[in-house]
Amino acid sequence: MNLFEHSWAHAWADLGLQPPAGVLDALLAAYDEPQRHYHSQQHLAECLAHFDAVRPLAQHPGEVEIALWFHDAVYDVRGTSNERQSADWARRVLGASGADEATQQRVDALIMATRHDAAPAPGDEQLLVDIDLSILGAAPERFAEYDRQVRAEYQWVPGFVYKMKRRAVLGAFLSRPRIYGTGHFSARCEAQARANLAWAIDGRAGSQPPPAVTAGPPPLR
């Protein structure tokens, strides 16, 4: 059983529900769409692997895992409602599986938290957001690859416009007192994320990867 099959089965077992037939294949096909360079099966796999390592931190692990599956299920590079459409898809699937309204609402809120336009609520929202942002604190070579992948998704945007907007987005993360809200991801990713972001904002993309930062072992808390 591969990572995707294992995660899918584990999530629905935690929920105590059975998914409608064909949903797993539909999601994997969505994450394999040609316009995706970063928001792809690679990103999904990285998120699911991170979650597998911190599953004990989740209050509702099945809900967090399903939210990760759906958080980028709809991805239109020119769209403004990707998260809303992704959350709606998750709601339809959960409803068809017999999930109660409270479960649907929590999963909806988890997915919408990945808009990163407001501070996530403590608990599962914070954990999921930290997982989604873990790429910012990835190893230098992976971060440099991510930087190229995001540019490829926005290849239709003129270079000077892209650089201006990209620096604003990354600068907003760098200006936060803390990028990560959980102890686990703060210890594991915070220092490297700040080095990676500074490298990207300074316009060094395309040169050598960002400097590596040595961090202590991440606490599971």
Side-chain angles (χ1 to χ4, degrees):
M1 184 179 293
N2 64 29
L3 170 64
F4 292 135
E5 292 169 340
H6 171 78
S7 169
W8 188 249
H10 206 165
W12 288 99
D14 280 347
L15 290 169
L17 301 170
Q18 288 291 328
V23 177
L24 173 59
D25 289 341
L27 281 169
L28 290 176
Y31 280 96
D32 199 35
E33 292 167 343
Q35 80 277 13
R36 298 171 183 257
H37 297 269
Y38 170 64
H39 296 87
S40 63
Q41 288 188 13
Q42 180 188 20
H43 170 57
L44 176 62
E46 288 171 341
C47 286
L48 296 175
H50 276 299
F51 178 67
D52 194 52
V54 298
R55 180 181 293 272
L57 299 181
Q59 297 163 314
H60 300 95
E63 294 175 9
V64 175
E65 196 155 19
I66 286 297
L68 286 170
W69 269 97
F70 279 95
H71 80 286
D72 286 324
V74 175
Y75 187 68
D76 177 355
V77 294
R78 299 174 187 252
T80 59
S81 62
N82 291 329
E83 292 85 2
R84 180 69 269 152
Q85 293 182 63
S86 297
D88 289 345
W89 187 0
R91 272 186 169 272
R92 291 194 298 272
V93 170
L94 287 166
S97 303
D100 60 28
E101 181 61 24
T103 296
Q104 294 182 46
Q105 288 181 354
R106 286 192 296 267
V107 171
D108 186 293
L110 288 168
I111 295 170
M112 295 305 292
T114 65
R115 289 178 60 87
H116 305 295
D117 58 357
D124 285 349
E125 279 190 30
Q126 182 66 75
L127 181 63
L128 184 138
V129 165
D130 279 5
I131 291 171
D132 193 33
L133 294 180
S134 62
I135 188 63
L136 300 181
E141 293 78 9
R142 175 64 184 114
F143 182 84
E145 179 188 35
Y146 151 76
D147 199 58
R148 294 190 298 270
Q149 289 171 333
V150 174
R151 181 65 181 111
E153 289 185 344
Y154 289 90
Q155 57 188 303
W156 48 276
V157 178
F160 74 95
V161 175
Y162 176 81
K163 288 178 181 178
M164 178 181 65
K165 292 186 176 294
R166 184 68 173 155
R167 284 174 177 171
V169 170
L170 298 182
F173 284 116
L174 188 58
S175 67
R176 294 181 180 183
R178 289 182 63 180
I179 297 170
Y180 301 98
T182 61
H184 175 88
F185 285 98
S186 180
R188 181 188 183 106
C189 299
E190 185 81 26
Q192 187 64 59
R194 293 190 175 279
N196 290 341
L197 290 169
W199 172 85
I201 291 168
D202 286 347
R204 284 173 282 172
S207 62
Q208 294 297 315
V213 177
T214 302
L220 192 63
R221 57 179 175 80

